[in-house]
């Protein structure tokens, strides 16, 4: 059930409807939009009686939602969600393309600083890197843990890049929430429902990667789990699905980008690194993702990929990332989108080494 408020409805009208929803034992989610606010109702088992709300001040209409997902749907919020960050011009969704780049895993301070400097100069606004790694084998590098998060926080202070990093369980989520700007939930955890609910109670945006064989509906329902707990800042990420082909690690499903945009207001970005698993395919697919309308890219970059502790085969060299960014900016311009440099002095034309940012 969805209660659409009139454009002229007052804050008091909206509050009164939310109070009534909660008095019935349900949860109210007020979603302000450009034209009007809609209030999604969750927690109801059966149908909610529409007449209960019809006559309330400011209510325009009460709509039954037939799809299984509610809060992710454009029915609730027709205009795109744009995620903003305190103290940074970077956004995810909207006009600007969000560029997230960095190594698969945080290996050392030296490695991370060398890569961060290069991706910031090339135009990334976000730095990625796992401090907790979900690895297929328990005998491979599992990440530096909190030490890795501390290094990431230094990167933010030094380069002004916002930090995206993965939480693999409750314990790491608590730490990631403290250190990072965006909490990544990986493909393997897309249907870890208790972790999704915990992320829904976090106060940082959540980057939700598509499960290895998730349908569009399963993907959206995973986002619904996060939103149903009150965290509406969810970024969807296509990262390839498992198919029969063996020329790539996964098959990057470009068509899911317009498919998501048709039914959901949430931003959708794409990860051609995990989506292909092979370095030489990352750049062509990254170009295609932008052309297909992705709201951003997540790209693995390493200063020494042959010695990377994870995913070296799919990591771009910094020079390749530079070249990709030049092309991405041109493709973005065709679509009237832009890649905003996070700090003007970090643009590739500049030779200035940035001053260290003050600690927060
Ligand atoms: C990653 O981003 O490093 C990662 C492990 O991704 P995914 O969950 O998509 O495999
Ligand atoms: Mn990786």
């Amino acid at each position: 059930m969805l209660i659409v408020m009139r454009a002229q409805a007052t804050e008091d009208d909206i509050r009164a409807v939310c109070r009534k929803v909660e008095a019935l034992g349900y949860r109210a989610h007020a979603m302000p939009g450009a034209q009007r606010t809609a209030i999604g109702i969750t927690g109801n088992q059966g149908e909610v009686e529409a007449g209960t709300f019809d006559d309330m001040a400011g209510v325009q209409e009460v709509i039954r939602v037939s799809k299984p997902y509610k809060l992710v749907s454009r029915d609730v919020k027709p205009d795109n969600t744009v995620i903003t960050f305190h103290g940074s011009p970077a956004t995810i969704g909207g006009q600007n393309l969000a560029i997230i780049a960095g190594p698969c895993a945080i290996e050392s301070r030296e490695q991370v600083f060398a890569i961060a400097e290069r991706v910031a100069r090339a135009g990334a606004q976000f730095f990625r890197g796992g401090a907790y790694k979900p690895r297929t084998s328990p005998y491979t590098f599992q990440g530096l843990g909190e030490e890795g998060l501390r290094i990431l926080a230094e990167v933010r202070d030094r380069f002004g890049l916002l930090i995206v990093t993965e939480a693999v369980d409750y314990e790491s989520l608590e730490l990631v929430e403290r250190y990072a700007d965006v909490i990544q939930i990986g493909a393997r955890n897309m249907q870890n429902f208790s972790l999704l609910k915990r992320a829904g109670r976090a106060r940082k945006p959540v980057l939700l990667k598509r499960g290895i064989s998730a349908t569009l509906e399963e993907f959206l329902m995973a986002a619904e789990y996060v939103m149903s707990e009150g965290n509406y800042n969810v970024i969807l990420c296509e990262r390839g699905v498992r198919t029969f082909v063996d020329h790539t690690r996964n098959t990057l499903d470009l068509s899911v980008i317009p498919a998501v945009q048709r039914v959901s207001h949430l931003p959708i970005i794409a990860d051609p690194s995990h989506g292909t698993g092979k370095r030489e395919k990352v750049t062509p697919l990254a170009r295609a993702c932008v052309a297909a309308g992705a709201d951003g890219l997540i790209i693995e970059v390493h200063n020494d990929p042959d010695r990377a502790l994870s995913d070296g085969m799919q990591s771009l060299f910094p020079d390749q990332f530079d070249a990709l960014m030049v092309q991405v900016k041109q493709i973005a311009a065709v679509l009237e989108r832009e890649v905003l440099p996070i700090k003007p002095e970090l643009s590739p034309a500049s030779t200035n080494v940035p001053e260290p940012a003050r600690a927060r």
Side-chain angles (χ1 to χ4, degrees), residues 117-244:
E117 161 145 37
R118 292 297 304 267
V119 301
R121 281 184 180 283
Q125 309 90 30
F126 297 83
F127 191 75
R128 64 144 290 144
Y132 301 90
K133 292 308 304 174
R135 303 303 301 278
T136 304
S137 163
Y139 308 120
T140 53
F141 180 60
Q142 305 284 306
L144 295 182
E146 191 170 1
E147 173 57 19
L149 296 178
R150 276 195 285 267
I151 296 172
L152 285 169
E154 278 189 63
V155 164
R156 176 178 44 227
D157 290 345
R158 175 74 173 82
F159 299 101
L161 293 164
L162 295 166
I163 302 302
V164 180
T165 193
E166 179 166 355
V168 292
D169 50 26
Y170 258 60
E171 206 185 337
S172 55
L173 200 143
E174 228 129 86
L175 288 165
V176 166
E177 183 181 9
R178 213 176 305 149
Y179 285 94
D181 299 290
V182 177
I183 303 164
Q184 178 174 320
I185 302 288
R188 290 154 196 81
N189 272 318
M190 191 206 80
Q191 286 191 316
N192 181 340
F193 299 120
S194 60
L195 189 63
L196 295 176
K197 285 195 214 172
R198 173 62 186 85
R201 295 190 293 273
R203 288 185 309 280
K204 299 274 172 74
V206 173
L207 191 160
L208 178 66
K209 297 190 96 178
R210 183 180 179 184
I212 280 161
S213 63
T215 63
L216 173 60
E217 189 170 303
E218 286 163 345
F219 192 17
L220 294 173
M221 291 308 286
E224 188 80 22
Y225 260 94
V226 178
M227 295 184 77
S228 69
E229 292 292 322
N231 188 348
Y232 307 132
N233 289 325
V234 179
I235 304 131
L236 300 169
C237 178
E238 163 59 25
R239 49 78 72 209
V241 289
R242 181 75 56 92
T243 68
F244 54 86

Side-chain angles (χ1 to χ4, degrees), residues 290-312:
V290 176
D295 294 304
L297 293 172
I298 179 162
I299 307 279
E300 286 186 342
V301 179
H302 201 288
N303 56 336
D304 189 1
D306 293 339
R307 271 190 283 237
L309 296 182
S310 70
D311 284 350

Side-chain angles (χ1 to χ4, degrees), residues 313-335:
M313 300 247 294
Q314 67 193 33
S315 299
L316 294 187
F317 286 92
D319 286 349
Q320 292 177 309
F321 182 68
D322 286 346
L324 170 63
M325 288 304 290
V326 171
Q327 297 177 343
V328 159
K329 287 172 193 168
Q330 292 179 47
I331 299 167
V334 173
L335 301 169

